[in-house]
PDB file of all heavy atoms in Angstrom:
ATOM      1  N   TRP A 640       0.514  14.515  63.569  1.00  0.00           N
ATOM      2  CA  TRP A 640       0.032  15.079  64.832  1.00  0.00           C
ATOM      3  C   TRP A 640       0.651  16.454  65.018  1.00  0.00           C
ATOM      4  O   TRP A 640       1.709  16.590  65.591  1.00  0.00           O
ATOM      5  CB  TRP A 640       0.388  14.133  65.962  1.00  0.00           C
ATOM      6  CG  TRP A 640      -0.015  14.623  67.309  1.00  0.00           C
ATOM      7  CD1 TRP A 640      -1.105  15.358  67.624  1.00  0.00           C
ATOM      8  CD2 TRP A 640       0.679  14.395  68.523  1.00  0.00           C
ATOM      9  NE1 TRP A 640      -1.153  15.595  68.973  1.00  0.00           N
ATOM     10  CE2 TRP A 640      -0.050  15.021  69.550  1.00  0.00           C
ATOM     11  CE3 TRP A 640       1.838  13.725  68.884  1.00  0.00           C
ATOM     12  CZ2 TRP A 640       0.325  15.005  70.882  1.00  0.00           C
ATOM     13  CZ3 TRP A 640       2.200  13.709  70.203  1.00  0.00           C
ATOM     14  CH2 TRP A 640       1.471  14.349  71.185  1.00  0.00           C
ATOM     15  N   ASP A 926      10.178   8.715  71.640  1.00  0.00           N
ATOM     16  CA  ASP A 926      10.035   8.298  73.043  1.00  0.00           C
ATOM     17  C   ASP A 926       8.629   8.511  73.553  1.00  0.00           C
ATOM     18  O   ASP A 926       8.390   8.498  74.755  1.00  0.00           O
ATOM     19  CB  ASP A 926      11.030   9.052  73.943  1.00  0.00           C
ATOM     20  CG  ASP A 926      10.828  10.556  73.847  1.00  0.00           C
ATOM     21  OD1 ASP A 926      10.062  11.001  72.981  1.00  0.00           O
ATOM     22  OD2 ASP A 926      11.463  11.275  74.656  1.00  0.00           O
ATOM     23  N   LYS A 927       7.649   8.700  72.649  1.00  0.00           N
ATOM     24  CA  LYS A 927       6.293   8.994  73.070  1.00  0.00           C
ATOM     25  C   LYS A 927       5.393   7.857  72.589  1.00  0.00           C
ATOM     26  O   LYS A 927       5.138   7.705  71.407  1.00  0.00           O
ATOM     27  CB  LYS A 927       5.827  10.314  72.477  1.00  0.00           C
ATOM     28  CG  LYS A 927       6.711  11.500  72.885  1.00  0.00           C
ATOM     29  CD  LYS A 927       6.322  12.759  72.156  1.00  0.00           C
ATOM     30  CE  LYS A 927       7.261  13.907  72.523  1.00  0.00           C
ATOM     31  NZ  LYS A 927       6.925  15.146  71.779  1.00  0.00           N
ATOM     32  N   GLY A 928       4.915   7.056  73.500  1.00  0.00           N
ATOM     33  CA  GLY A 928       4.135   5.894  73.129  1.00  0.00           C
ATOM     34  C   GLY A 928       2.686   6.022  73.571  1.00  0.00           C
ATOM     35  O   GLY A 928       2.335   6.839  74.399  1.00  0.00           O
ATOM     36  N   GLY A 929       1.859   5.168  72.987  1.00  0.00           N
ATOM     37  CA  GLY A 929       0.498   5.046  73.467  1.00  0.00           C
ATOM     38  C   GLY A 929      -0.542   5.912  72.783  1.00  0.00           C
ATOM     39  O   GLY A 929      -1.677   5.966  73.245  1.00  0.00           O
ATOM     40  N   GLN A 945      -3.283   9.464  74.946  1.00  0.00           N
ATOM     41  CA  GLN A 945      -1.930   8.996  74.719  1.00  0.00           C
ATOM     42  C   GLN A 945      -1.176   9.029  76.031  1.00  0.00           C
ATOM     43  O   GLN A 945      -1.412   9.862  76.883  1.00  0.00           O
ATOM     44  CB  GLN A 945      -1.220   9.908  73.701  1.00  0.00           C
ATOM     45  CG  GLN A 945       0.294   9.756  73.704  1.00  0.00           C
ATOM     46  CD  GLN A 945       0.942  10.479  72.542  1.00  0.00           C
ATOM     47  OE1 GLN A 945       0.407  10.508  71.462  1.00  0.00           O
ATOM     48  NE2 GLN A 945       2.096  11.058  72.784  1.00  0.00           N
ATOM     49  N   TYR A 946      -0.252   8.066  76.204  1.00  0.00           N
ATOM     50  CA  TYR A 946       0.625   8.141  77.361  1.00  0.00           C
ATOM     51  C   TYR A 946       2.070   8.181  76.865  1.00  0.00           C
ATOM     52  O   TYR A 946       2.400   7.676  75.798  1.00  0.00           O
ATOM     53  CB  TYR A 946       0.412   6.966  78.321  1.00  0.00           C
ATOM     54  CG  TYR A 946       0.625   5.600  77.702  1.00  0.00           C
ATOM     55  CD1 TYR A 946       1.888   5.039  77.662  1.00  0.00           C
ATOM     56  CD2 TYR A 946      -0.434   4.885  77.177  1.00  0.00           C
ATOM     57  CE1 TYR A 946       2.098   3.783  77.096  1.00  0.00           C
ATOM     58  CE2 TYR A 946      -0.245   3.638  76.611  1.00  0.00           C
ATOM     59  CZ  TYR A 946       1.033   3.091  76.572  1.00  0.00           C
ATOM     60  OH  TYR A 946       1.236   1.853  76.028  1.00  0.00           O
ATOM     61  N   PHE A 947       2.930   8.813  77.626  1.00  0.00           N
ATOM     62  CA  PHE A 947       4.335   8.926  77.306  1.00  0.00           C
ATOM     63  C   PHE A 947       5.093   7.919  78.167  1.00  0.00           C
ATOM     64  O   PHE A 947       4.679   7.613  79.282  1.00  0.00           O
ATOM     65  CB  PHE A 947       4.884  10.331  77.588  1.00  0.00           C
ATOM     66  CG  PHE A 947       4.306  11.394  76.691  1.00  0.00           C
ATOM     67  CD1 PHE A 947       2.963  11.715  76.740  1.00  0.00           C
ATOM     68  CD2 PHE A 947       5.121  12.089  75.827  1.00  0.00           C
ATOM     69  CE1 PHE A 947       2.435  12.691  75.932  1.00  0.00           C
ATOM     70  CE2 PHE A 947       4.594  13.087  75.015  1.00  0.00           C
ATOM     71  CZ  PHE A 947       3.249  13.362  75.058  1.00  0.00           C
ATOM     72  N   THR A 948       6.204   7.411  77.684  1.00  0.00           N
ATOM     73  CA  THR A 948       6.905   6.374  78.429  1.00  0.00           C
ATOM     74  C   THR A 948       8.345   6.752  78.772  1.00  0.00           C
ATOM     75  O   THR A 948       8.891   6.266  79.733  1.00  0.00           O
ATOM     76  CB  THR A 948       6.944   5.065  77.636  1.00  0.00           C
ATOM     77  OG1 THR A 948       7.546   5.319  76.365  1.00  0.00           O
ATOM     78  CG2 THR A 948       5.542   4.538  77.416  1.00  0.00           C
ATOM     79  N   LEU A 949       8.955   7.608  77.986  1.00  0.00           N
ATOM     80  CA  LEU A 949      10.347   8.014  78.249  1.00  0.00           C
ATOM     81  C   LEU A 949      10.473   9.517  78.080  1.00  0.00           C
ATOM     82  O   LEU A 949       9.670  10.156  77.414  1.00  0.00           O
ATOM     83  CB  LEU A 949      11.299   7.311  77.282  1.00  0.00           C
ATOM     84  CG  LEU A 949      11.376   5.790  77.347  1.00  0.00           C
ATOM     85  CD1 LEU A 949      12.223   5.254  76.213  1.00  0.00           C
ATOM     86  CD2 LEU A 949      11.918   5.315  78.674  1.00  0.00           C
ATOM     87  N   GLY A 950      11.508  10.075  78.685  1.00  0.00           N
ATOM     88  CA  GLY A 950      11.767  11.496  78.507  1.00  0.00           C
ATOM     89  C   GLY A 950      10.812  12.353  79.285  1.00  0.00           C
ATOM     90  O   GLY A 950      10.052  11.896  80.115  1.00  0.00           O
ATOM     91  N   LEU A 951      10.839  13.641  79.022  1.00  0.00           N
ATOM     92  CA  LEU A 951       9.986  14.609  79.690  1.00  0.00           C
ATOM     93  C   LEU A 951       9.245  15.434  78.663  1.00  0.00           C
ATOM     94  O   LEU A 951       9.838  15.893  77.689  1.00  0.00           O
ATOM     95  CB  LEU A 951      10.812  15.523  80.594  1.00  0.00           C
ATOM     96  CG  LEU A 951      11.493  14.828  81.791  1.00  0.00           C
ATOM     97  CD1 LEU A 951      12.414  15.818  82.496  1.00  0.00           C
ATOM     98  CD2 LEU A 951      10.437  14.281  82.749  1.00  0.00           C
ATOM     99  N   PRO A 952       7.945  15.706  78.795  1.00  0.00           N
ATOM    100  CA  PRO A 952       7.121  15.153  79.878  1.00  0.00           C
ATOM    101  C   PRO A 952       6.848  13.658  79.677  1.00  0.00           C
ATOM    102  O   PRO A 952       6.892  13.183  78.558  1.00  0.00           O
ATOM    103  CB  PRO A 952       5.818  15.963  79.776  1.00  0.00           C
ATOM    104  CG  PRO A 952       5.725  16.300  78.320  1.00  0.00           C
ATOM    105  CD  PRO A 952       7.142  16.533  77.865  1.00  0.00           C
ATOM    106  N   SER A 953       6.576  12.989  80.735  1.00  0.00           N
ATOM    107  CA  SER A 953       6.312  11.558  80.667  1.00  0.00           C
ATOM    108  C   SER A 953       4.941  11.236  81.276  1.00  0.00           C
ATOM    109  O   SER A 953       4.787  10.282  81.987  1.00  0.00           O
ATOM    110  CB  SER A 953       7.408  10.794  81.432  1.00  0.00           C
ATOM    111  OG  SER A 953       7.424  11.175  82.779  1.00  0.00           O
ATOM    112  N   ASP A 954       3.989  12.079  81.020  1.00  0.00           N
ATOM    113  CA  ASP A 954       2.752  12.017  81.791  1.00  0.00           C
ATOM    114  C   ASP A 954       1.470  11.953  80.956  1.00  0.00           C
ATOM    115  O   ASP A 954       0.386  12.139  81.501  1.00  0.00           O
ATOM    116  CB  ASP A 954       2.671  13.229  82.722  1.00  0.00           C
ATOM    117  CG  ASP A 954       3.917  13.393  83.539  1.00  0.00           C
ATOM    118  OD1 ASP A 954       4.231  12.483  84.330  1.00  0.00           O
ATOM    119  OD2 ASP A 954       4.610  14.395  83.366  1.00  0.00           O
ATOM    120  N   GLY A 955       1.535  11.743  79.685  1.00  0.00           N
ATOM    121  CA  GLY A 955       0.332  11.522  78.896  1.00  0.00           C
ATOM    122  C   GLY A 955      -0.367  12.780  78.431  1.00  0.00           C
ATOM    123  O   GLY A 955      -0.011  13.898  78.780  1.00  0.00           O
ATOM    124  N   ALA A 956      -1.382  12.587  77.618  1.00  0.00           N
ATOM    125  CA  ALA A 956      -2.139  13.696  77.058  1.00  0.00           C
ATOM    126  C   ALA A 956      -3.471  13.211  76.533  1.00  0.00           C
ATOM    127  O   ALA A 956      -3.667  12.023  76.295  1.00  0.00           O
ATOM    128  CB  ALA A 956      -1.340  14.366  75.927  1.00  0.00           C
ATOM    129  N   GLY A 976      -0.397  16.664  79.391  1.00  0.00           N
ATOM    130  CA  GLY A 976      -0.302  15.812  80.563  1.00  0.00           C
ATOM    131  C   GLY A 976       0.753  16.172  81.555  1.00  0.00           C
ATOM    132  O   GLY A 976       0.889  15.494  82.569  1.00  0.00           O
ATOM    133  N   PRO A 981      -0.026  10.214  85.451  1.00  0.00           N
ATOM    134  CA  PRO A 981       1.132   9.437  85.879  1.00  0.00           C
ATOM    135  C   PRO A 981       1.798   8.724  84.699  1.00  0.00           C
ATOM    136  O   PRO A 981       1.135   8.241  83.796  1.00  0.00           O
ATOM    137  CB  PRO A 981       0.535   8.416  86.840  1.00  0.00           C
ATOM    138  CG  PRO A 981      -0.778   9.019  87.298  1.00  0.00           C
ATOM    139  CD  PRO A 981      -1.260   9.822  86.135  1.00  0.00           C
ATOM    140  N   ALA A 982       3.124   8.676  84.701  1.00  0.00           N
ATOM    141  CA  ALA A 982       3.866   8.039  83.634  1.00  0.00           C
ATOM    142  C   ALA A 982       3.491   6.546  83.568  1.00  0.00           C
ATOM    143  O   ALA A 982       3.275   5.892  84.595  1.00  0.00           O
ATOM    144  CB  ALA A 982       5.364   8.203  83.871  1.00  0.00           C
ATOM    145  N   ASN A 983       3.456   6.009  82.350  1.00  0.00           N
ATOM    146  CA  ASN A 983       3.249   4.584  82.096  1.00  0.00           C
ATOM    147  C   ASN A 983       1.895   4.061  82.559  1.00  0.00           C
ATOM    148  O   ASN A 983       1.669   2.881  82.601  1.00  0.00           O
ATOM    149  CB  ASN A 983       4.356   3.739  82.742  1.00  0.00           C
ATOM    150  CG  ASN A 983       5.715   4.111  82.215  1.00  0.00           C
ATOM    151  OD1 ASN A 983       5.882   4.327  81.016  1.00  0.00           O
ATOM    152  ND2 ASN A 983       6.697   4.214  83.082  1.00  0.00           N
ATOM    153  N   GLU A 984       0.981   4.920  82.903  1.00  0.00           N
ATOM    154  CA  GLU A 984      -0.332   4.494  83.314  1.00  0.00           C
ATOM    155  C   GLU A 984      -1.417   4.971  82.361  1.00  0.00           C
ATOM    156  O   GLU A 984      -2.589   4.772  82.579  1.00  0.00           O
ATOM    157  CB  GLU A 984      -0.656   4.999  84.730  1.00  0.00           C
ATOM    158  CG  GLU A 984       0.211   4.361  85.799  1.00  0.00           C
ATOM    159  CD  GLU A 984      -0.219   4.764  87.200  1.00  0.00           C
ATOM    160  OE1 GLU A 984      -1.283   5.414  87.319  1.00  0.00           O
ATOM    161  OE2 GLU A 984       0.496   4.441  88.153  1.00  0.00           O
TER     162      GLU A 984
END
Side-chain angles (χ1 to χ4, degrees):
W640 178 34
D926 59 350
K927 302 173 182 178
Q945 163 170 323
Y946 59 87
F947 293 65
T948 57
L949 297 172
L951 294 173
S953 61
D954 309 298
N983 300 319
E984 294 186 7

